[in-house]
Amino acid sequence: MSVVDTFERIIRHQDVQQLVPVLLALDKKQQLAVRAKTKALRKELTEFRQLGSSTWGRTGTESQLAMLFLAGVATYTRKEAMGLDEPLGMHWGEGTIRAAYQASFFTVAEHARPNWFGEWLERRSRGGPWGLPDYGLLREMEARQLLDYEPALFSRTLAHSLHLKSFHRRREEKPVPNYAEKLLLDFAASAATSGRDLLGFFDYDTTVDSTQAYTGIAQQHVAWLDVLLHLAAAGHVDRTELLTRSLLALRRDFRRPLLTWFKNLFLALQPSPEECLTRQEELVELLAHTQPQVVNFALEQLKPFWTNAAFDPAPLLLYAEGLVTRQDLKTAQRTLLSGFEKLLKRSPALAPELGRLASAALASADAAVQGKAAKLLVSLLQANKPLLSADETADLVSSLADYADLLTAGTRQLLAPWLAPAPAPVPTMGTSYAPATEFVPDLSSTNAVTPVADWHELLFLTGQVLRHDSVLDLERWMDGLLRLQPQFAADYAQQLLPYLVQVRPFLKGKTGEQATAIIAGNGLAGHRGLVEALIMGWAQGFTTERVNKVNVRDDHDTSDPLVLVEQRRFVTAEKHLRTRAGLPLLSTPSHAPHWVSPAVLVDKLLAYEAANVEPDPADLVVALARTAYANTAAAQTALARLTQLQRAELRELLQWLLTPGQPALPAFQPAKTSVLKHLTARLGKLLPGNASGGTTLADAWPWLWAVAARTRRPDGVFEELTALIATDYTGVVRPWAPEWHFEVKTNTWVEQWKPGKPTVTHQYPVLQFPSKYTSQTPPSPLLLYSQHARFRAMGQAGWVLPQDYRFVASLVPHNPAPLHWHVMRTAAWADGLESTERDVVQAALQELLGPGPAFTEPTTLLLAVGLMHRVPACRVLALEAFLSAGATRRLVPADLGTTLGRFLAVEFVPVQRLADNLQQARAIDATTDEVLQQVLDHLLPELPSAPLRNTKKLVELYTDLVGRSGREPAEAVKTNFRNWKSTAALKKTIGELV
């Protein structure tokens, strides 16, 4: 029996004791043969396959996989070793079995001496902590000179070892009494060995912040913080070194949770005031950090020493220059300015420098920061004993003028003696801003979409569309494919190879039949899959249909219902490319970002008729939804050419869509459905979303009319459509406008692990949408404005919707209301949802930045939620959308104010979060101030008569706006002000307004 046969028999039927002698006796030729057999057996035994009628898994046992790993240690080269994907020791079991496998591993490893252990372990560690071995095993490998010392690897392994200790204990299923105490004693006993790598926690990005060992008692764990405190208390680790290293680690650009851990370690060590004072240099250097939590921590530690003679303020003042102008450091700025007041009493000579810093702090959008800066300036300018020279005083007063427009009412009142008198306000009487009543897309030459110039630009654009982040790039690319097909280079398939590798990474290095087989496979899904399918079809000359095989399910939680319409458009493009028809898509935008000129649409329809090709309904319905019907010049040009169209139904539809004014829909004849069509429609509803086949143009007229009507008049009621569409489906005859209200949810639980087992109750408001929806599938996927009303369309927000959102929104630019209702229901129904929902809200807010129709109710809801969002990035984006909507007159301030007030009244979010965000829109220009005042005119009356916490911030903002505009507060606002004036915190702020 050959060595390979003996090796295979041992792997399949015997144990490691029989394997080790065979591996030690291999010569070079036998190593090559055993290496090939090891790879083949590994592939066989690790491949997941069907084991039973309903079970799947691998066929290899733990013992077999452990032996194959030992064979790899003995025979693999570096290249094969990099393919080993299990952690070292993963299949060794526990207890005596694990010890036996470990002994066998070292026997084989010391005999073979592979040179790839270090690189392999480093690569495994980059994939996450679960790729790391046991720390003791790693140290033993170092001692046996099987790998060199690598500080980062050893520190990451030690950090993860805390979890592995309890993991192995739990696998043994033997409860250990007082496990937490024994674990700490175990670390204390090995402190001399692990001390070197333990200090590496402060130098490298490890999991020390999150790794913990389960003790066997509910909700009780041992964390590295507990371990280090125990080692420091026992004298195994120098406590002063931990304090210093914690501060040095906080200077690094680590993850936020890791920075929090270092901060908590420093505080848990309870440094004395003297210990903090001796580390003032390290603490001051933390003020340059980009993370607010680090800056706040440093200032909190320095706060007790402002008046201490041993504290040197000079380095701090150098860093303070950058702190007072950062908009993300409100807490730190307040702390800093309070410290300046104490510092001034201790060192009056610092007055000029402190005055300059306080003056710069007036640029803050936070009223409290401005107030503290103003108080410091007043103390400088009104000191009984002058602290500034005449020139210094003049310079300081002069600098105040630079910030006059940014000052809140309270700050301006404090600094009034040194500010130039403000000009008398010009009352606006609310006439300076009104929402636009009609939106006319820009179809000028400056906004026209530039077609792809040539083959080289088309090839470059292929890489851009694979990034999946630009609607216009994708539309230009598809148009270029259709128009430039005769100009494709002879070797275009070869030039496409780098892009194919992005779609199918397995293509790298493959040629001939292997490459052909990989490209021929499909397995694509979602909107991104449509793009990839078209690229793969392009590489094969569009010889087969690929786009219609992409898995697009309109009722799945990871794809939007409108992606099915996109698939139909891509199918149409693929058909034109396969038949080399030379026809464009009707729905390709002619003007940025996604508008179709009426004149261009008519020209394309004439080209279709000349080629005797019937337009695809999905392509045509998107073209109708994107048509800039309100652009009078383009509409008149198109109307003049309509007579050239031969199809009467199409002429009638476009005539209605493009005619100025408010034309009524024509009187339709009741539709008659044949028995065959009825059965076909019933069957189509039973088939998957993208398997139901196409719809002919003759069958699609009811849906085309419904979409055209809802595009032109989103809020219209079209009783005439009842003659065409038998079912009064949501969003067809009447617009879909679901009701919404707030409901307070209550969660109650018992904390079993705490003394007395207390009961905890948590209440929070959520948005509820009563059951005004339907579970019925829309009669056609062409009904663009009806797809999101279904229950099954709600689902979850979906992992891919944030990436697909811009493409979906581009299909319905005139009427995004149904899509925004969908976003509200799935991603904004409560405060503090997960990252997926945050990404959906961000994607939706991003699409509000440009020009478009006036905001409807769901769009206003979306903006309101964005302005109050828990995530700062969402609030910043929403504020930008607010400013943009005011500039383009899309915003309806009354609706936004009422909506925001309703949210605050039920305490959906803290008042301060919204007030701080709106404060940043103040004093940008007169129009924005007017918009903001109108918003507050309708927000404040919605608040309860008993003022909420931080209502003062909103009142201060409103007072400032009233002072700027000279316009009297609205009567509804005055009513609430009269109620609030009895509150001590608001009495002074409301002042003479009522």
Side-chain angles (χ1 to χ4, degrees), residues 1 65 67 83 95 213 263 283 322 448 507 590 647 659 819 841 845 849 899 921 926 973:
M1 182 180 291
L65 297 177
M67 289 191 289
K263 180 189 74 172
L283 287 167
L507 273 171
S590 62
R647 191 181 288 270
T659 299
L819 184 58
V841 171
L845 290 171
L849 294 177
T899 302
V973 175

Side-chain angles (χ1 to χ4, degrees), residues 443 596-606 624 627-645 650-660:
L443 301 185
V596 174
S597 168
V600 172
L601 175 59
V602 173
D603 288 344
K604 288 182 178 180
L605 289 170
L606 290 172
L624 293 172
T627 296
Y629 62 85
N631 190 288
T632 306
Q636 291 300 327
T637 303
L639 287 170
R641 298 177 188 170
L642 274 185
T643 54
Q644 300 176 39
L645 282 177
L650 196 52
R651 286 201 310 271
E652 185 181 23
L653 175 59
L654 292 176
Q655 182 82 31
W656 180 86
L657 179 64
L658 302 177
T659 299

Side-chain angles (χ1 to χ4, degrees), residues 44 80 102 241 243 341 404 578 589 637 723 746 758 824 867 906 923:
E44 174 192 337
E80 282 85 17
Q102 183 168 322
E241 187 172 13
L243 287 171
E341 294 177 2
R578 191 171 60 255
T637 303
T746 302
M824 287 300 304
L867 289 169
V906 298

Side-chain angles (χ1 to χ4, degrees), residues 902-972:
R902 289 182 61 184
F903 276 91
L904 293 182
V906 298
E907 300 184 61
F908 193 86
V909 299
V911 172
Q912 181 173 350
R913 190 190 297 172
L914 174 64
D916 288 347
N917 204 23
L918 293 181
Q919 186 76 237
Q920 299 177 66
R922 177 182 55 87
I924 293 176
D925 55 52
T927 301
T928 305
D929 278 352
E930 175 61 24
V931 171
L932 198 52
Q933 185 171 349
Q934 288 188 31
V935 169
L936 292 175
D937 279 339
H938 293 83
L939 185 157
L940 294 170
E942 295 290 330
L943 301 185
S945 55
L948 302 170
R949 184 180 181 184
N950 287 313
T951 300
K952 179 181 177 181
K953 287 181 173 288
L954 288 176
V955 176
E956 287 176 338
L957 175 58
Y958 189 73
T959 303
D960 180 62
L961 293 169
V962 169
R964 290 175 183 278
S965 68
R967 182 161 58 83
E968 283 289 315
E971 284 302 320

